[in-house]
Coordinates of all heavy atoms in Angstrom, one line a residue:
Y1 N -1.5 0.0 -12.2 CA -1.6 -0.8 -11.0 C -0.3 -0.6 -10.2 O 0.8 -0.8 -10.8 CB -1.8 -2.2 -11.3 CG -3.2 -2.5 -11.7 CD1 -3.8 -2.0 -12.9 CD2 -4.0 -3.4 -10.9 CE1 -5.1 -2.2 -13.2 CE2 -5.4 -3.6 -11.3 CZ -5.9 -3.0 -12.4 OH -7.2 -3.3 -12.7
Y2 N -0.4 -0.3 -8.9 CA 0.7 -0.1 -8.0 C 0.7 -1.2 -6.9 O -0.3 -1.5 -6.3 CB 0.6 1.2 -7.4 CG 0.7 2.4 -8.4 CD1 -0.5 3.0 -8.9 CD2 1.9 2.9 -8.8 CE1 -0.4 4.0 -9.8 CE2 2.0 4.0 -9.7 CZ 0.8 4.5 -10.2 OH 0.8 5.6 -11.0
C3 N 1.9 -1.6 -6.5 CA 2.1 -2.4 -5.3 C 2.6 -1.5 -4.3 O 3.4 -0.6 -4.5 CB 3.1 -3.5 -5.7 SG 3.6 -4.5 -4.3
A4 N 2.1 -1.7 -3.0 CA 2.6 -0.8 -1.9 C 2.8 -1.7 -0.7 O 2.2 -2.8 -0.5 CB 1.5 0.2 -1.6
A5 N 3.6 -1.1 0.2 CA 4.0 -1.9 1.4 C 4.0 -1.0 2.6 O 4.3 0.2 2.5 CB 5.3 -2.6 1.3
D6 N 3.7 -1.5 3.8 CA 3.8 -0.8 5.0 C 4.1 -1.7 6.2 O 3.9 -2.9 6.1 CB 2.4 -0.1 5.3 CG 2.6 1.3 5.9 OD1 3.8 1.6 6.3 OD2 1.6 2.0 6.1
T7 N 4.6 -1.1 7.3 CA 4.9 -1.9 8.5 C 4.5 -1.1 9.7 O 4.5 0.1 9.6 CB 6.3 -2.3 8.5 OG1 6.6 -3.3 9.4 CG2 7.2 -1.1 8.7
P8 N 4.1 -1.7 10.8 CA 4.0 -3.2 11.0 C 2.8 -3.8 10.2 O 2.0 -3.0 9.6 CB 3.7 -3.3 12.5 CG 3.0 -2.0 12.8 CD 3.7 -1.0 12.0
P9 N 2.7 -5.1 10.2 CA 1.7 -5.8 9.4 C 0.3 -5.7 10.0 O -0.3 -6.6 10.4 CB 2.2 -7.2 9.3 CG 2.9 -7.4 10.6 CD 3.6 -6.1 10.9
Y10 N -0.3 -4.5 9.9 CA -1.7 -4.3 10.4 C -2.7 -5.0 9.4 O -2.3 -5.5 8.4 CB -2.0 -2.8 10.6 CG -1.7 -2.0 9.4 CD1 -2.6 -1.8 8.4 CD2 -0.4 -1.3 9.3 CE1 -2.3 -1.0 7.3 CE2 -0.2 -0.4 8.2 CZ -1.1 -0.3 7.2 OH -0.8 0.5 6.1
P11 N -3.9 -5.0 9.8 CA -4.9 -5.8 9.0 C -5.0 -5.3 7.5 O -4.9 -4.1 7.3 CB -6.2 -5.6 9.7 CG -5.8 -5.4 11.2 CD -4.5 -4.6 11.1
A12 N -5.2 -6.2 6.6 CA -5.3 -5.9 5.2 C -6.4 -4.9 4.9 O -6.2 -4.0 4.0 CB -5.5 -7.2 4.4
E13 N -7.5 -5.1 5.5 CA -8.6 -4.2 5.2 C -8.2 -2.7 5.5 O -8.6 -1.8 4.8 CB -9.9 -4.6 6.0 CG -11.1 -3.7 5.7 CD -12.3 -4.2 6.3 OE1 -12.3 -5.3 6.9 OE2 -13.4 -3.5 6.2
A14 N -7.5 -2.5 6.6 CA -7.1 -1.2 7.0 C -6.2 -0.5 5.9 O -6.3 0.6 5.6 CB -6.4 -1.2 8.3
M15 N -5.3 -1.4 5.4 CA -4.4 -0.8 4.3 C -5.2 -0.4 3.1 O -5.0 0.7 2.6 CB -3.4 -1.8 4.0 CG -2.4 -1.2 3.0 SD -1.2 -2.4 2.4 CE 0.2 -1.4 1.9
C16 N -6.1 -1.3 2.6 CA -6.8 -1.0 1.4 C -7.7 0.2 1.6 O -7.9 1.0 0.6 CB -7.6 -2.2 1.0 SG -6.6 -3.3 -0.1
L17 N -8.3 0.4 2.7 CA -9.4 1.4 2.9 C -9.0 2.7 3.5 O -9.6 3.7 3.2 CB -10.5 0.8 3.8 CG -11.3 -0.4 3.2 CD1 -12.4 -0.8 4.1 CD2 -11.8 -0.1 1.8
A18 N -7.9 2.7 4.3 CA -7.6 3.9 5.0 C -6.2 4.3 5.0 O -5.9 5.5 5.3 CB -8.1 3.7 6.5
A19 N -5.3 3.4 4.8 CA -3.9 3.8 5.0 C -3.3 4.5 3.8 O -3.7 4.3 2.7 CB -3.1 2.5 5.4
I20 N -2.2 5.2 4.0 CA -1.3 5.7 3.0 C 0.0 5.0 3.2 O 0.8 5.5 4.0 CB -1.2 7.2 3.1 CG1 -2.6 7.9 3.0 CG2 -0.3 7.7 1.9 CD1 -2.6 9.4 3.1
P21 N 0.3 3.9 2.5 CA 1.5 3.2 2.7 C 2.7 4.0 2.5 O 2.8 5.0 1.7 CB 1.4 2.1 1.6 CG -0.1 1.9 1.3 CD -0.6 3.3 1.4
H22 N 3.8 3.6 3.1 CA 5.0 4.3 3.0 C 5.8 4.0 1.8 O 6.5 4.9 1.2 CB 6.0 4.0 4.2 CG 5.6 4.7 5.5 ND1 4.6 4.3 6.3 CD2 6.0 5.9 6.0 CE1 4.5 5.1 7.4 NE2 5.3 6.1 7.2
Y23 N 5.7 2.8 1.3 CA 6.5 2.4 0.2 C 5.6 2.0 -1.1 O 4.6 1.3 -0.9 CB 7.4 1.2 0.6 CG 8.2 1.4 1.8 CD1 7.8 0.9 3.1 CD2 9.3 2.2 1.7 CE1 8.5 1.2 4.2 CE2 10.1 2.4 2.9 CZ 9.7 1.9 4.1 OH 10.4 2.2 5.2
W24 N 6.1 2.4 -2.2 CA 5.4 2.2 -3.5 C 6.3 1.7 -4.6 O 7.4 2.1 -4.6 CB 4.7 3.5 -3.9 CG 3.6 4.0 -3.0 CD1 3.8 4.7 -1.8 CD2 2.2 3.7 -3.1 NE1 2.5 4.9 -1.3 CE2 1.6 4.3 -2.0 CE3 1.4 3.0 -4.1 CZ2 0.2 4.3 -1.9 CZ3 0.1 3.0 -3.9 CH2 -0.5 3.6 -2.8
G25 N 5.7 1.0 -5.5 CA 6.4 0.6 -6.7 C 6.1 1.7 -7.7 O 5.4 2.7 -7.5
Q26 N 6.6 1.5 -8.9 CA 6.6 2.5 -10.0 C 5.3 2.4 -10.8 O 4.9 3.3 -11.6 CB 7.8 2.4 -10.9 CG 7.7 1.3 -12.0 CD 7.8 -0.1 -11.5 OE1 8.2 -0.3 -10.3 NE2 7.6 -1.1 -12.3
G27 N 4.6 1.2 -10.7 CA 3.3 1.0 -11.4 C 3.5 0.3 -12.7 O 4.6 0.3 -13.3
T28 N 2.4 -0.4 -13.1 CA 2.4 -1.1 -14.4 C 1.0 -0.9 -15.0 O 0.0 -1.0 -14.3 CB 2.7 -2.6 -14.2 OG1 2.9 -3.3 -15.4 CG2 1.7 -3.3 -13.3
Q29 N 1.0 -0.7 -16.3 CA -0.3 -0.4 -16.9 C -1.0 -1.7 -17.3 O -0.5 -2.6 -17.9 CB 0.0 0.4 -18.2 CG -1.2 0.8 -19.0 CD -2.1 1.8 -18.4 OE1 -1.6 2.8 -17.9 NE2 -3.4 1.5 -18.4

C-alpha cells in the first residue's frame, strides 16, 4: 500500500482513476 500526493488539489476521483501523482511514499505491506 502506497500513499501519494499531488498538487493542485484536483478532484479525488481524478487522482484515483487517471492521475500519476508526483510524490510517493515507500509503501507498507
